[in-house]
Amino acid sequence: MTHLRIGTRRSALAVVQTRIIATALERAGHTCELVEITTEGDRNRSSLAKIGGQGVFVGALRDALLEERVDVAVHSLKDLPTGSVAGLTLAAVPPREDPRDVLVARDGLTFAALPEGARVGTGSARRLAQLRQLGKDDLEFVEIRGNVDTRIAKVRDGELDAVVLAHAGLTRLGRQGEITETFGPTELVPAPGQGALAIECRTADEGVVRALAGLEDPRTRAAVTAERAVLAGIGAGCSAPMGAFADTIGGADGNDLSLHAVVATVDGSTSVRLSTSGPLGEAEELGRQLATALLAEGASRLIEERVT
């Protein structure tokens, strides 16, 4: 039995996600203590693109690990930069929650039914780019930040007509009943790793690494490895207008992955969408190959257009 100090962001969703992991570890005979950490992404309310992308939610947790203030860190895997950190290891990727994006709209509206001039909130360049390609040129898109409660409150209070959020977050918070539409994963391609959790610890803590190994789901690991290899291969950051989604072919027992990716300009005017498939055991190479194909089709130019 091991006593584990588990670092988490302070948001309601982050704490719920960390408690899910703590409960699983406690069932395996370990004791757990949650340690709340405030990250730069929590302190700074500026646009994520301006302050460093989704990775700003990760740095403080990794510092706490390296400084031995916590033994384990729980991240939303989509926030995790693709580069490794010396001394830390991604010890487990548990089974993934639904990775799709969803709409929460007033009066139970779907995206197609939103009226002319409706205000739709999202803080994601990826979502914004793809939403603009869905044939609704009469909508106003509004950049927003904040937790799930804050975003949905903007709809409830009439400030916005709808917001686009991650299915996984609403499910973990028990709020999936507020979803008015779920977008298909090739219609609105999710962020790499969306819906999955990343469990990190110090590489040298062999006992902790062993304790976390029981949380691992190999198929989820393969899927997110392929998705993140696309992200790394095209040289884009976590906040870039790109999505990647991998899934097992043939259900839970399948041994092959399908992989779909998109890179777009934020205004939605241009995009590159490609798909491929291959063995689970070659997930990283599959992602690298798809990234190469995206670059050959002009993906780097689309990313550069966003930067400039």
Side-chain angles (χ1 to χ4, degrees):
M1 182 178 75
T2 304
H3 179 73
L4 299 169
R5 298 166 298 164
I6 308 179
T8 178
R9 291 174 55 204
R10 295 174 181 265
S11 75
L13 178 57
V15 171
V16 165
Q17 291 177 164
T18 303
R19 283 178 177 157
I20 291 170
I21 298 306
T23 298
L25 289 167
E26 287 166 352
R27 285 175 181 157
H30 308 287
T31 60
C32 299
E33 168 191 355
L34 268 61
V35 179
E36 294 186 355
I37 305 290
T38 300
T39 73
E40 175 63 19
D42 298 312
R43 287 189 295 266
N44 193 327
R45 310 312 296 173
S46 300
S47 165
L48 288 181
K50 293 178 180 178
I51 62 175
Q54 297 293 125
V56 298
F57 295 120
V58 173
L61 287 168
R62 284 179 157 174
D63 288 344
L65 275 174
L66 293 169
E67 294 165 7
E68 300 189 8
R69 291 183 280 124
V70 299
D71 307 301
V72 177
V74 177
H75 310 284
S76 291
L77 202 146
K78 67 180 178 61
D79 296 341
L80 206 64
T82 54
S84 60
V85 173
L88 300 183
T89 187
L90 181 53
V93 179
R96 189 182 209 169
E97 189 51 81
D98 193 323
R100 296 175 294 176
D101 287 312
V102 299
L103 188 76
V104 176
R106 64 173 176 81
D107 305 322
L109 294 173
T110 63
F111 188 76
L114 289 170
E116 181 178 351
R119 291 165 54 83
V120 181
T122 176
S124 162
R126 170 191 62 82
R127 287 173 177 148
L128 180 58
Q130 295 183 77
L131 288 167
R132 284 174 166 160
Q133 295 184 321
L134 296 182
K136 290 283 289 180
D137 299 329
D138 56 356
L139 302 179
E140 179 185 353
F141 293 101
V142 179
E143 183 173 342
I144 57 172
R145 286 282 313 277
N147 59 31
V148 170
D149 281 337
T150 299
R151 297 184 187 209
I152 292 179
K154 292 180 182 295
V155 176
R156 186 178 61 247
D157 297 342
E159 181 180 342
L160 298 173
D161 296 286
V163 291
V164 182
L165 302 167
H167 197 303
L170 291 174
T171 299
R172 289 176 177 135
L173 289 168
R175 301 185 66 169
Q176 59 267 49
E178 299 180 62
I179 296 171
T180 60
E181 183 178 6
T182 300
F183 297 99
T186 56
E187 175 188 26
L188 193 60
V189 185
Q194 185 161 304
L197 299 179
I199 317 303
E200 259 188 335
C201 69
R202 290 181 291 276
T203 307
D205 287 350
E206 296 180 1
V208 177
V209 173
R210 286 194 298 270
L212 298 177
L215 302 175
E216 175 78 359
D217 180 66
R219 282 179 167 75
T220 298
R221 169 81 73 157
V224 301
T225 295
E227 294 165 10
R228 286 165 57 77
V230 178
L231 178 65
I234 65 172
C238 297
S239 62
M242 69 82 60
F245 172 68
D247 198 12
T248 306
I249 299 173
D253 296 324
N255 292 313
D256 291 309
L257 281 177
S258 65
L259 176 61
H260 185 83
V262 60
V263 180
T265 53
V266 176
D267 65 8
S269 62
T270 311
S271 67
V272 178
R273 290 175 181 262
L274 294 175
S275 300
T276 189
S277 61
L280 278 172
E282 299 176 11
E284 187 166 6
E285 180 59 24
L286 200 66
R288 282 199 290 259
Q289 290 175 359
L290 192 58
T292 299
L294 286 165
L295 291 172
E297 292 292 326
S300 59
R301 175 179 55 81
L302 302 187
I303 295 169
E304 287 168 5
E305 284 183 13
R306 174 177 181 267
V307 173
T308 57

